[in-house]
Amino acid sequence: MHENAPILEAKTRARQGSRYARRIRQAGGLPAVVYGHKQEPVSVEVDHQTTISMLEHGERVFQLAIDGAEPQLVLVKALQFDHLGTHVVHADFARVDLDERVRTRVPLRFLGTAKGAGAAGAMLMHPNTEVEIECPLRDLPEFIEVDMTDLDVGEEITAADIRFPSDSIKLLSDPHAAVAQIRISKRAVSASAEAEGAEGEAAEGEQTAEESKE
């Protein structure tokens, strides 16, 4: 699946430290480190816009070409964000091969319209939108589909209910963790009760008025 992973150009960083990393980011680069396979870690920089664009399209595996050398297969292991949690400021790449079992988090893609979504006051929630898995790199999916069609009010879909696209994939997340659930809003229930109460009072008032006329 990842034999044709996108190529990402990188160049080694001669200097390290927060001051130089800041200069790299200001120039449109993204500081990163490459490690694994019993080789020395290498500090590099990649193009920030290109890298983020690939990540936003679900890419997690790259052919990293450092200083024009033969590309090596790497997996994104960690991303560091700024203090606001909005911008990626550093990336960790781990050297891998296609048959190596890797651990990583994969986003979930929810499909279908939940059966109970149309109920009065129904709230469809996704407490978890990704799961942690382990599998051979060649079987690593970009996302995992979750069918919500049969989900009704008061029910939930847990990580254990997810059907993986390959038997080689092992779930590492808590199997009891909910990924989709439908609950009735207490506010909606309260509003409905108040409305029913108001209608009852109005009906009683009308009846009293009629009796008075008599």
Side-chain angles (χ1 to χ4, degrees):
M1 180 179 293
H2 296 286
E3 293 89 341
N4 298 317
I7 295 178
L8 186 61
E9 301 288 342
K11 58 183 179 182
T12 54
R13 285 187 283 153
R15 297 180 177 180
Q16 300 182 41
S18 58
R19 182 176 62 178
Y20 296 107
R22 185 165 54 251
R23 290 179 180 176
I24 290 173
R25 289 190 288 270
Q26 290 173 345
L30 176 66
V33 62
V34 186
Y35 59 87
H37 282 190
K38 299 180 179 180
Q39 299 180 39
E40 288 294 321
V42 179
S43 296
V44 300
E45 64 174 280
V46 294
D47 182 76
H48 186 279
Q49 183 175 353
T50 300
T51 306
I52 299 304
S53 176
M54 290 181 177
L55 291 173
E56 289 177 344
H57 282 81
E59 299 291 350
R60 291 296 180 273
V61 180
F62 299 94
Q63 297 185 66
L64 192 66
I66 303 176
D67 295 333
E70 186 72 18
Q72 51 188 300
L73 208 59
V74 297
L75 171 70
V76 178
K77 292 296 290 185
L79 296 174
Q80 179 182 336
F81 291 81
D82 61 11
H83 66 285
L84 296 177
T86 55
H87 294 89
V88 177
V89 297
H90 190 276
D92 286 3
F93 297 109
R95 302 181 184 95
V96 290
D97 61 58
L98 290 175
D99 295 316
E100 180 178 348
R101 292 190 68 85
V102 297
R103 294 186 174 194
T104 188
R105 303 190 70 83
V106 178
L108 301 176
R109 177 174 291 182
F110 297 95
L111 304 177
T113 301
K115 181 167 58 177
M123 297 176 59
L124 175 61
M125 298 180 289
H126 298 296
N128 293 282
T129 57
E130 60 180 18
V131 291
E132 185 176 10
I133 63 171
E134 177 185 292
C135 67
L137 182 63
R138 66 173 66 254
D139 294 336
L140 179 63
E142 294 181 7
F143 56 84
I144 297 173
E145 296 181 344
V146 179
D147 185 1
M148 301 189 301
T149 307
D150 296 327
L151 185 63
D152 208 346
V153 174
E155 298 179 344
E156 65 181 18
I157 299 174
T158 66
D161 297 323
I162 298 174
R163 294 185 177 182
F164 294 124
S166 172
D167 292 336
S168 67
I169 299 177
K170 176 183 178 182
L171 177 67
L172 297 182
S173 294
D174 179 0
H176 302 295
V179 299
Q181 57 188 199
I182 296 181
R183 298 287 184 266
I184 297 297
S185 168
K186 292 182 179 179
R187 180 177 298 178
V189 172
S190 177
S192 177
E194 289 179 2
E196 290 179 1
E199 289 177 0
E201 291 177 0
E204 185 177 341
E206 291 177 0
Q207 183 177 356
T208 302
E210 290 296 329
E211 292 176 349
S212 298
K213 291 179 180 179
E214 295 176 357

